Amino acid sequence: MASQSAPPLYVCLCFILHILTSTLAQSDNYIVYMDLSAMPKAFSGQHSWYSATLQSLSKTTTTTTDVLSSSKLLYSYNHVINGFSASLTPAEHEAVKSSPGYISSIKDLPVKHDTTRSSQFLGLNPNSGAWPVSKFGQDVIIGVVDTGIWPESESFHDEGMTEIPSRWKGECETGTNFSSSLCNKKLIGARFFNKGIIAKNPNITISMNSTRDIDGHGTHTSSTAAGNNVEAASYFGYALGTAGGMAPKARVAMYKALFDEGAFTSDIIAAIDQAISDGVDVLSMSLGLDDLALYEDPLAIATFAAIEKNIFVSTSAGNQGPFLETLHNGIPWVLTVAAGTIDREFGATITLGNGIKVMGKSLYPGNSSVTDLPIAFLDQCHNLTQLRQVGQKIVVCEDKDGSSLGDQVDYISSAKIAGAVFISDYKDLESFFQTTFAAMFMNSKNGEIIKGYIKNNSTEPKGRIEFKKTNVGTKPAPTVTSYSSRGPSQSCPYVLKPDIMAPGDFILAAWPPNLAVAAVNSKFVYSNFNLLSGTSMACPHASGVAALLKGAHPDWSPAAIRSAMMTTADTIDNTNGPISDNNEPASPLAMGAGQINPNKALDPGLIYDANKEDYVNLLCALNYTMKQIQTVTRSSAVNCSTPSLDLNYPSFIYLLNPNDTKSESKTVQFQRTVTNVGEGKSTYTASVTLPVKGFKVSVVPDQLDFKGKNEKQSYKVSIEGPTKIRETVVFGYLSWAEIGGNHVVKSPIVVTNLQNIGNKIT
């Protein structure tokens, strides 16, 4: 009896079912970044463009129906990124890479509440500490003087914000591509100042005559200080998490005084002046001027007026490190912020043909991987002719002396090679991570693994590079960044600067979506978030923390807030060793009092306060003329009867005089007054926790007894030692520890023989 065959229709349906089942089983979710400028005008919006892109995949893959193709679209993003998420098979994922406007794609990863990492790294927690106590900075107004703002950014949405405080006097000015209606309960002020620019260049045309940001710096800094939470933010898959500012419920007022056409001090002063009139509580300025006396520095002059109005001012230290005496904004009445790293690294993994994986560093924003390719070691990649003949390979280049890396990167870029691995022990590798081509960087220890594999492989060695790796919990952290400017201050060396260190390295924050953040193979790419480094990024971290402290302690003066930050700062990293600077314990001239700790600053125990008269006494002791002092104070009624260089500051600096040839040993004294801001009675005892090498430090009295809150007690510190030392800088710490309590009030002590500073001493 002949066998009975299945009906043709049944076979067809089974085959289709098999195709559909295998297709669905192999699918994975991807986030696809698209270039919005490539969207054809025929589409009414991004959603329809993304849908059509997925529909077109059915023509190039085995997908059987348009219905199935269109259903693959999960979300069409309008704010978080320019792009979409979709469920794609491997074949469809490859096909979408050929779609017009495609930039890159990453696998959809599990999302957890991790911010841009810096707030978590600083210990901020929604359930306890500075965030809930200050109500996340609610109703504190942060004024930012910068390049403007991108108001449509999700970081400035006002969901969950209360009504604008009635005391606010500011407004949102209409200008080019900027309507007053763009402001809301988060962004409550937007003004711009460019009369100085126009006066200097009467024929100039201001390209963006409004508060709108076409540079990106102002959007980044303001969202770092007070951006609202935005989920699923990342830089092309790096640093994926929830982006939020230090004070997410604080208000933002932008004062644009830096334009593409230039920036002049007349405009900056006008911006600060307006901010004072409008009623800001905190002023954040990631900018500065170099080599100016206090009476010549418009920032010093303008911020003096702000301090008089009880406005806290945070400024950046500058990016001229690691050299000493390069710091700007060494203004005694403002906070000067250095930049440190956080416990997060961005990188890539190369998987060798033998299965061994080797980690490296990278911020390449293009495709998430370079598939299996032949790999070749070319030693120092200096021969452009040879490199152009390599073809589709991964090349391994070695920077042996730490000086040729930049040239090698340029040569590889010109040669159009598929991928590259750079081996180098250059200490500032971070400046190379953001390549326009697929590249990763590693130290010589990891590099030897790759070199050994290539050398010992009898067949053609191969490798596969996977990018967009984010590792958290890296050690040691924090460290001082090399670029952060070091003290002492040229303008006022008698006050130890910088004051504090805050995260400034590779900080993720909001960015204008029409400004390129990088280039991939000569093509610009765009993102709603960007990773930037600098003391410009550290400053708004401190500004946001100041807003939290202002919200929790509205009666505290700017000096009290600064003191709370400094005396509670961390000097120990996450390895329980001292915070390092180029593998050595960091000096206070690099990191100030240490890494900012918001939760500890909330309850400092004791504070060092200062007022206008204290600053005037300092100005008088600097041998300024009366007119010069009046330039700063704006008052003719200046009393210089009690001049003093010994400002009531939470740090100490002893400047050795190179012209002192009369004695081999000398004793200097400092006097300080502390105020008890803790509850009830308390007793503190003094100790020098890290002896100042070669010097004897004594404290009288060495015990302070407080009977109640707001009581003041004074003490003296004597530093005795040689008038000349071999080291450029020696340092230690004075700590006041509460007996039977948890408070430790810590202040750095520095002794330096820097010649440029010393020659200014009279």
Side-chain angles (χ1 to χ4, degrees):
M1 183 177 178
S3 62
Q4 188 175 11
S5 61
L9 179 60
Y10 175 80
V11 173
C12 181
L13 288 173
C14 286
F15 177 73
I16 292 174
L17 182 61
H18 170 74
I19 291 292
L20 290 175
T21 302
S22 59
T23 297
L24 291 173
Q26 296 174 7
S27 293
D28 207 340
N29 292 345
Y30 292 88
I31 300 173
V32 182
Y33 294 82
M34 301 290 282
D35 179 1
L36 193 57
S37 65
M39 183 177 72
K41 294 181 180 179
F43 292 107
S44 59
Q46 293 164 250
H47 181 84
S48 57
W49 181 35
Y50 301 152
S51 297
T53 299
L54 291 178
Q55 290 279 359
S56 68
L57 299 184
S58 61
K59 301 176 183 178
T60 57
T61 66
T62 57
T63 304
T64 56
T65 67
D66 285 350
V67 174
L68 179 62
S69 223
S70 63
S71 68
K72 290 181 172 292
L73 183 63
L74 303 178
Y75 292 102
S76 176
Y77 300 112
N78 295 310
H79 303 292
V80 180
I81 65 168
N82 288 330
F84 58 90
S85 59
S87 176
L88 303 173
T89 65
E92 289 167 338
H93 183 224
E94 287 302 311
V96 80
K97 295 178 182 179
S98 301
S99 300
Y102 173 85
I103 296 175
S104 66
S105 55
I106 60 169
K107 279 189 177 181
D108 193 11
L109 302 174
V111 178
K112 61 180 181 179
H113 190 80
D114 195 23
T115 77
T116 62
R117 184 62 188 174
S118 53
S119 59
Q120 185 180 13
F121 182 58
L122 293 179
L124 287 169
N125 185 304
N127 300 314
S128 63
W131 265 355
V133 171
S134 68
K135 297 181 180 179
F136 299 85
Q138 179 178 305
D139 290 344
V140 179
I141 302 167
I142 302 177
V144 183
V145 180
D146 217 302
T147 63
I149 197 165
W150 193 265
E152 295 90 350
S153 168
E154 282 292 282
S155 292
F156 306 116
H157 72 76
D158 63 356
E159 182 180 347
M161 301 289 292
T162 58
E163 293 300 317
I164 298 172
S166 59
R167 59 187 171 86
W168 176 242
K169 301 176 183 177
E171 63 181 51
C172 287
E173 296 177 346
T174 298
T176 307
N177 293 340
F178 198 103
S179 167
S180 60
S181 62
L182 291 171
C183 287
N184 54 25
K185 296 175 184 177
K186 162 62 74 173
L187 177 61
I188 64 173
R191 300 181 186 268
F192 57 101
F193 305 85
N194 54 28
K195 292 181 180 179
I197 299 174
I198 296 171
K200 285 279 187 178
N201 305 280
N203 296 322
I204 199 170
T205 299
I206 303 296
S207 57
M208 186 59 68
N209 197 31
S210 71
T211 318
R212 183 170 293 280
D213 187 8
I214 57 172
D215 176 271
H217 191 272
T219 300
H220 197 280
T221 57
S222 53
S223 62
T224 299
N228 223 325
N229 292 332
V230 181
E231 295 184 358
S234 75
Y235 176 81
F236 301 104
Y238 295 101
L240 182 65
T242 300
M246 292 295 100
K249 296 301 181 184
R251 319 289 176 158
V252 174
M254 175 57 67
Y255 299 86
K256 181 178 177 180
L258 286 76
F259 288 74
D260 278 9
E261 292 77 18
F264 289 90
T265 55
S266 57
D267 295 325
I268 294 172
I269 292 174
I272 298 171
D273 186 73
Q274 188 63 60
I276 294 171
S277 297
D278 289 346
V280 302
D281 301 304
V282 175
L283 198 55
S284 184
M285 297 190 295
S286 293
L287 51 90
L289 299 166
D290 297 321
D291 302 325
L292 291 176
L294 295 176
Y295 61 85
E296 295 176 321
D297 186 348
L299 296 182
I301 296 166
T303 55
F304 191 90
I307 296 301
E308 286 185 291
K309 296 292 186 181
N310 211 35
I311 298 170
F312 184 91
V313 182
S314 177
T315 64
S316 51
N319 299 327
Q320 301 302 314
F323 308 107
L324 293 168
E325 303 177 76
T326 55
L327 173 143
H328 62 208
N329 291 324
I331 303 166
W333 41 88
V334 308
L335 185 77
T336 311
V337 188
T341 63
I342 63 174
D343 64 339
R344 178 179 66 187
E345 291 181 346
F346 305 116
T349 302
I350 181 168
T351 303
L352 305 176
N354 58 8
I356 293 177
K357 296 179 181 290
V358 185
M359 296 293 297
K361 309 288 183 62
S362 179
L363 268 177
Y364 174 59
N367 290 339
S368 58
S369 65
V370 174
T371 53
D372 292 336
L373 288 173
I375 182 171
F377 176 61
L378 298 184
D379 200 3
Q380 297 191 70
C381 298
H382 281 154
N383 190 327
L384 186 58
T385 301
Q386 179 190 23
L387 291 172
R388 284 175 171 162
Q389 296 172 351
V390 167
Q392 287 297 301
K393 290 184 179 180
I394 297 172
V395 300
V396 180
C397 309
E398 187 166 17
D399 170 37
K400 295 181 178 180
D401 58 5
S403 64
S404 64
L405 182 59
D407 291 336
Q408 294 190 51
V409 170
D410 289 341
Y411 281 126
I412 294 294
S413 178
S414 300
K416 309 296 183 185
I417 286 172
V421 177
F422 294 97
I423 302 171
S424 177
D425 289 323
Y426 180 61
K427 65 180 181 179
D428 291 329
L429 277 178
E430 292 87 352
S431 58
F432 295 99
F433 289 171
Q434 200 176 55
T435 54
T436 61
F437 57 94
M440 62 185 295
F441 301 79
M442 63 182 61
N443 58 31
S444 56
K445 180 180 178 181
N446 285 357
E448 287 300 318
I449 300 173
I450 298 177
K451 289 166 60 179
Y453 163 72
I454 296 172
K455 181 180 178 180
N456 299 322
N457 197 290
S458 57
T459 59
E460 185 176 46
K462 289 189 175 184
R464 180 177 74 254
I465 304 178
E466 294 177 275
F467 295 97
K468 304 183 180 178
K469 306 290 185 181
T470 301
N471 302 313
V472 296
T474 56
K475 297 180 179 181
T479 62
V480 182
T481 63
S482 63
Y483 55 77
S484 188
S485 292
R486 272 62 167 173
S489 162
Q490 293 275 1
S491 60
C492 187
Y494 304 97
V495 176
L496 176 56
K497 293 283 182 172
D499 296 309
I500 203 82
M501 185 173 77
D505 220 34
F506 292 120
I507 302 302
L508 184 74
W511 191 256
N514 65 339
L515 290 182
V517 296
V520 175
N521 299 324
S522 302
K523 181 180 179 181
F524 289 126
V525 295
Y526 303 83
S527 173
N528 288 341
F529 291 86
N530 199 2
L531 288 164
L532 295 183
S533 298
T535 57
S536 281
M537 285 63 252
C539 170
H541 278 88
S543 304
V545 173
L548 298 178
L549 297 180
K550 189 84 171 178
H553 302 286
D555 57 329
W556 279 9
S557 69
I561 293 174
R562 177 182 59 207
S563 174
M565 290 184 186
M566 292 176 64
T567 61
T568 60
D570 293 325
T571 57
I572 302 300
D573 65 19
N574 61 1
T575 69
N576 290 320
I579 292 174
S580 63
D581 177 11
N582 194 23
N583 298 319
E584 297 289 336
S587 157
L589 292 180
M591 69 170 184
Q595 170 89 344
I596 195 169
N597 187 319
N599 294 327
K600 286 185 179 179
L602 191 69
D603 181 20
L606 306 176
I607 55 107
Y608 295 79
D609 213 345
N611 56 33
K612 175 184 175 180
E613 287 69 31
D614 296 317
Y615 298 126
V616 170
N617 289 338
L618 175 65
L619 294 173
C620 293
L622 289 172
N623 292 325
Y624 290 171
T625 67
M626 195 59 65
K627 286 186 177 180
Q628 290 168 343
I629 296 172
Q630 290 170 3
T631 300
V632 178
T633 64
R634 307 174 331 284
S635 172
S636 58
V638 175
N639 182 357
C640 277
S641 60
T642 55
S644 175
L645 293 172
D646 193 17
L647 182 66
N648 194 44
Y649 216 77
S651 59
F652 305 85
I653 183 167
Y654 174 19
L655 306 171
L656 296 175
N657 190 343
N659 302 318
D660 187 355
T661 58
K662 296 180 181 180
S663 59
E664 294 183 357
S665 180
K666 189 175 182 179
T667 300
V668 295
Q669 282 193 339
F670 302 86
Q671 179 167 320
R672 294 291 185 268
T673 299
V674 289
T675 304
N676 179 29
V677 293
E679 299 295 336
K681 296 180 180 180
S682 59
T683 299
Y684 289 79
T685 58
S687 63
V688 180
T689 53
L690 178 65
V692 182
K693 182 181 178 182
F695 291 83
K696 179 184 177 182
V697 179
S698 56
V699 183
V700 178
D702 61 1
Q703 180 171 306
L704 300 175
D705 297 304
F706 296 92
K707 297 177 182 178
K709 189 174 182 179
N710 296 324
E711 181 183 350
K712 298 180 184 295
Q713 296 278 357
S714 297
Y715 67 92
K716 290 183 179 180
V717 173
S718 297
I719 303 177
E720 180 183 357
T723 55
K724 291 180 173 57
I725 56 176
R726 290 184 179 181
E727 298 89 344
T728 303
V729 179
V730 294
F731 63 92
Y733 295 90
L734 167 64
S735 294
W736 288 97
E738 183 183 14
I739 298 176
N742 297 320
H743 297 112
V744 177
V745 184
K746 193 172 183 179
S747 297
I749 303 171
V750 167
V751 179
T752 178
N753 65 359
L754 285 167
Q755 295 297 304
N756 290 342
I757 296 296
N759 287 328
K760 294 182 178 182
I761 302 172
T762 57

